[in-house]
Amino acid sequence: MSAALLDFPPAGPSARDLMERALDPHILLGMPHLNGNGLSETWLMKEVGHRHWLMLACHLGLDNAAFRTADGEEAYAAICATSLTDARFDVVQANNILTIHSRLSVVSRTRTSTRHELSVHGRSVGAIELISTFVYRTIKDNNHSIARVTLPEPPGQRFQPSRLAENAADIRNGRLATHFGVSVLANKALRTFRFDPSASQEFNGAGLFYFAEYQALADRALENWFPCKGPVVRKDVFFLGNIERNESVFFDLVDFSDEQRTVHGQLRRENGKVIANIFGTWTCLR
């Protein structure tokens, strides 16, 4: 009589284990993380966005970042505002170790903030804050139908103030006249650049125009108009909507200051609906 040996493959790490690994504060930088000006802003926004979603899932006690409404529909932690401050991306090089120290705070019943302090060799190279709110599609597969939804929060939740969240609400409601020293309320385009986003490049796995691509498209327009644009110093982006696949999007230069090297631009659909306001300052802008 012989006994068959059962060869079970070793158990792999759980999704929760991998979430914790993905939140390790240290990253060895190489070509995927860099561009011609040092640290890639688009890669970095994707990275801290991923960390934001994982931190939020951990905060809600989930085993992965699969968010659901009360009736089981897919929900998404949509980024509604981002802020980059004190950026020094030009000093970052290949084989540097980027350290990202992150913390989460709840702003309201519908909004969550994460702040990410960035450093290389103990030297600050910037900070990023992200604000998200849960959304879902009221019409299946229709990105114009995105609406906010409230998900259950842990009991006894304490809310923390966020200036970025306050600015986002003020801009959405037309209560803020200036930001970064340029006009918020101006709506006449000084220049316009048209894009036809790629479904395979600029949309995420949820079928939504990826939040990190908003600022990437804006940078492409600004580099066309200001070929000597220097590295970014600070940037705020306020998100107001999304687009469908195969839909054109336009970046309007709304206001700028030569003296302050600051720009206010907006991304909009062809019908004029504004989907983002973008404010930025660079080391030079000409």
Side-chain angles (χ1 to χ4, degrees), residues 81-224:
T82 65
S83 182
L84 167 66
T85 55
D86 300 321
R88 301 203 60 203
F89 294 167
D90 55 319
V91 304
V92 181
Q93 302 175 353
N95 301 310
N96 284 167
I97 296 175
L98 175 67
T99 300
I100 306 176
H101 286 302
S102 306
R103 67 178 185 272
L104 178 147
S105 60
V106 177
V107 177
S108 70
R109 293 184 65 251
T110 59
R111 293 174 297 171
T112 304
S113 164
T114 57
R115 184 168 175 84
H116 310 267
E117 305 286 347
L118 315 170
S119 62
V120 171
H121 300 308
R123 181 184 183 185
S124 174
V125 294
I128 295 173
E129 184 179 3
L130 306 180
I131 304 287
S132 72
T133 187
F134 285 110
V135 301
Y136 76 114
R137 291 183 177 93
T138 59
I139 301 173
K140 183 177 175 59
D141 298 326
N142 186 321
N143 289 351
H144 292 182
S145 73
I146 292 292
R148 295 192 180 195
V149 63
T150 302
L151 268 62
E153 285 281 349
Q157 186 65 69
R158 298 183 62 182
F159 300 145
Q160 300 293 328
S162 164
R163 184 61 184 165
L164 177 62
E166 293 172 6
N167 286 338
D170 287 343
I171 286 179
R172 181 180 292 272
N173 294 298
R175 294 191 297 258
L176 197 63
T178 62
H179 192 58
F180 282 23
V182 292
S183 173
V184 173
L185 302 178
N187 54 19
K188 182 179 179 181
L190 304 176
R191 297 180 183 179
T192 297
F193 207 98
R194 171 177 173 160
F195 299 93
D196 295 308
S198 166
S200 65
Q201 297 296 318
E202 279 111 13
F203 285 75
N204 63 18
L208 296 166
F209 188 51
Y210 203 2
F211 86 96
E213 300 296 342
Y214 286 65
Q215 60 86 23
L217 292 190
D219 268 7
R220 285 167 56 190
L222 292 172
E223 286 171 6
N224 183 273

Side-chain angles (χ1 to χ4, degrees), residues 186-193 225-226 251-257 263-264 266:
N187 54 19
K188 182 179 179 181
L190 304 176
R191 297 180 183 179
T192 297
F193 207 98
W225 298 327
F226 304 99
F251 179 75
D252 296 328
L253 179 64
V254 177
D255 195 13
F256 73 99
S257 167
V263 160
H264 170 205
Q266 64 183 20

